[in-house]
């Protein structure tokens, strides 16, 4: 089973995505950038699904950290709002941007579990 790291500072988002994806992935969660970096440093993930804005940093910082460390996984950057600057930076670093409210997010994650 593929491993996914879900990163978000809202517990409801973590719980909801974990619940929906638990049959498709081995799910690990992190509530902030610091926790996420620790998880990524000790576990190989197939997918990281990270919120953009968190109290201690951004999902782009996590993406840059992963790329600097030469970790290669599908990286999905999420945000409640679509900002073209964030979308472009995500693409520049080889990530996919999706809005949290986009119903395709769950479908996309499920498809990539296979």
């Amino acid at each position: 089973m593929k491993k996914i790291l879900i990163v978000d500072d809202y517990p409801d988002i973590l719980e909801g995505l974990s619940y929906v994806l638990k049959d498709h992935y081995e799910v690990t969660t992190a509530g902030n950038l610091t926790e996420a970096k620790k998880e990524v440093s000790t576990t190989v993930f197939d997918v990281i699904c990270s919120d953009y804005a968190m109290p201690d940093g951004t999902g782009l910082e996590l993406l840059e950290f992963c790329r600097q460390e030469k970790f290669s996984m599908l990286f999905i950057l999420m945000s409640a709002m679509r900002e073209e600057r964030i979308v472009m930076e995500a693409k520049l670093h080889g990530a996919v941007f999706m809005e949290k409210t986009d119903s395709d997010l769950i479908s996309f994650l499920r498809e990539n579990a296979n």
Side-chain angles (χ1 to χ4, degrees), residues 64-78:
E64 290 171 3
F65 173 80
C66 290
R67 298 308 187 229
Q68 286 173 355
E69 296 296 320
K70 306 289 189 236
F71 299 139
S72 62
M73 75 284 288
L74 174 61
F75 198 105
I76 301 166
L77 188 65
M78 307 180 294

Side-chain angles (χ1 to χ4, degrees), residues 6 12-14 45-46 50 68 70-71 75 77 84 102:
I6 303 169
D12 291 344
I13 298 289
L14 291 178
F45 292 98
D46 300 293
S50 177
Q68 286 173 355
K70 306 289 189 236
F71 299 139
F75 198 105
L77 188 65
E84 284 308 310
D102 190 342

